[in-house]
Amino acid sequence: MKIDVAQFCPKLFDKAYNLEKINEIISASTADVIVLPELATTGYFFTSRDEVAEYAETTSGSTYTQWQKLAKDKDIIIVAGFAEKTEDKLFNSAAVIFPDEEFSSVYRKTHLFYRERFCFDMGDTGFNVTDYEDKNLRLGTMICYDWRFPEAARTLALKGADLIVSPSNLVTDVWHISTPSRALENKVYFAVANRIGTETREEEELYFNGKSAIYGYNGQLMAKAEEKTEEIISAEIDPAQTRNKSFNEFNDIFNDRQPDLYWQD
């Protein structure tokens, strides 16, 4: 199957522009799965919960509903970041939209980065995998800063993920060191959809460093974007190749685990 990762520059608080851009990207895709950045509909640099509340949507809102229609019409899986609200909470979320609405869901970011803790509630979905038989794919989702926690990717892998996708707004210079390891240590495909551009609030500037990437299940780089350009990167993947976790006749990376000897709190 084919996976597309879309790298672009959302405009802060300009949902109309961002949604038009996102829907154009999705409509033009010929992939089975497309991944877009974190908070792709709004931009990233919120400074208060009141700001988030102004731009956040529920899963019954127009954005999620429109993506569901696109997924069905194009027979494509869409993963894209958005600001989500429920009755009393605000989440940094990823819509995980399947052509069959029954399988669609959201992932709410578990590990909040930097000033996010003042604007969003900690995610409450946990790390879940969707087994979508129509495309023979087991899909797991995380968001951005979750990459720093090996437990996140390991949990998704232990739950059967073939492909882990990560909508992101990355500003550090070190993430590309560890993301191939997340693929290798779990024998899964790993796709990071980062954004580009800068956002400035209260004299503080965040620079988003692009370089979106797709890694193979042995950690090899399959596709990589440039640092400052809007572009779509693609790769052909075979999800079934991830399911045998052995790498020689004696060793299996999951069966060889010794969880009783690992530190736990």
Side-chain angles (χ1 to χ4, degrees):
M1 64 163 48
K2 181 185 177 186
I3 177 171
D4 279 354
V5 168
Q7 176 173 290
F8 77 106
C9 182
K11 292 184 179 180
L12 186 63
F13 305 149
D14 192 342
K15 285 180 71 174
Y17 169 85
N18 296 332
L19 286 169
E20 182 177 3
K21 181 82 171 180
I22 291 166
N23 292 342
E24 286 176 357
I25 291 170
I26 295 171
S27 296
S29 176
T30 59
D32 297 283
V33 182
I34 186 166
V35 191
L36 295 107
E38 175 185 14
L39 294 172
T41 64
T42 58
Y44 176 80
F45 206 173
F46 291 101
T47 59
S48 70
R49 290 180 66 87
D50 286 343
E51 282 186 347
V52 177
E54 182 178 351
Y55 294 97
E57 294 186 54
T58 68
T59 55
S60 59
S62 59
T63 296
Y64 192 95
T65 302
Q66 189 173 29
W67 287 346
Q68 184 63 66
K69 184 178 186 306
L70 275 171
K72 182 178 180 180
D73 290 347
K74 290 186 59 65
D75 189 31
I76 190 173
I77 299 167
I78 301 167
V79 184
F82 74 113
E84 182 196 4
K85 64 182 175 183
T86 62
E87 289 183 358
D88 59 349
K89 291 189 175 182
L90 301 166
F91 297 105
N92 181 341
S93 294
V96 187
I97 310 290
F98 291 82
D100 184 341
E101 185 175 358
E102 177 185 352
F103 291 87
S104 298
S105 65
V106 296
Y107 165 67
R108 294 167 176 161
K109 189 174 184 178
T110 301
H111 304 98
L112 299 179
F113 179 74
Y114 197 47
R115 297 183 184 274
E116 291 174 29
R117 67 190 60 223
F118 306 120
C119 303
F120 296 96
D121 293 289
M122 188 181 77
D124 59 4
T125 55
F127 295 97
N128 296 307
V129 173
T130 302
D131 186 352
Y132 193 61
E133 292 185 1
D134 282 2
K135 291 185 181 291
N136 190 27
L137 175 67
R138 301 167 186 171
L139 179 66
T141 304
M142 63 172 63
I143 296 175
C144 200
Y145 182 49
D146 288 333
W147 72 264
R148 281 213 183 235
F149 301 86
E151 299 89 344
R154 177 51 56 92
T155 297
L156 290 169
L158 288 172
K159 289 185 174 184
D162 308 313
L163 167 65
I164 296 174
V165 296
S166 181
S168 298
N169 281 184
L170 290 153
V171 297
T172 72
D173 293 324
V174 296
W175 63 270
H176 62 279
I177 299 171
S178 287
T179 43
S181 296
R182 299 293 169 262
L184 173 63
E185 66 201 8
N186 293 296
K187 197 178 179 183
V188 296
Y189 294 99
F190 197 102
V192 180
N194 198 17
R195 62 161 289 180
I196 60 170
T198 60
E199 290 181 357
T200 303
R201 305 296 307 281
E202 301 172 356
E203 299 183 352
E204 181 177 7
E205 182 180 86
L206 294 181
Y207 172 71
F208 304 98
N209 54 31
K211 300 181 183 177
S212 299
I214 303 170
Y215 300 97
Y217 57 81
N218 288 321
Q220 73 273 28
L221 182 65
M222 301 181 74
K224 185 178 181 180
E226 298 296 325
E227 181 175 345
K228 298 180 179 180
T229 60
E230 293 194 341
E231 57 183 297
I232 311 297
I233 60 171
S234 304
E236 294 285 340
I237 67 171
D238 182 357
Q241 293 295 313
T242 71
R243 296 172 190 170
N244 180 348
K245 300 298 182 179
S246 63
F247 59 92
N248 63 38
E249 61 182 313
F250 301 114
N251 294 109
D252 180 295
I253 59 173
F254 284 4
N255 291 340
D256 288 350
R257 294 173 66 249
Q258 302 294 331
D260 291 343
L261 302 179
Y262 303 151
W263 179 86
Q264 297 181 16
D265 59 11

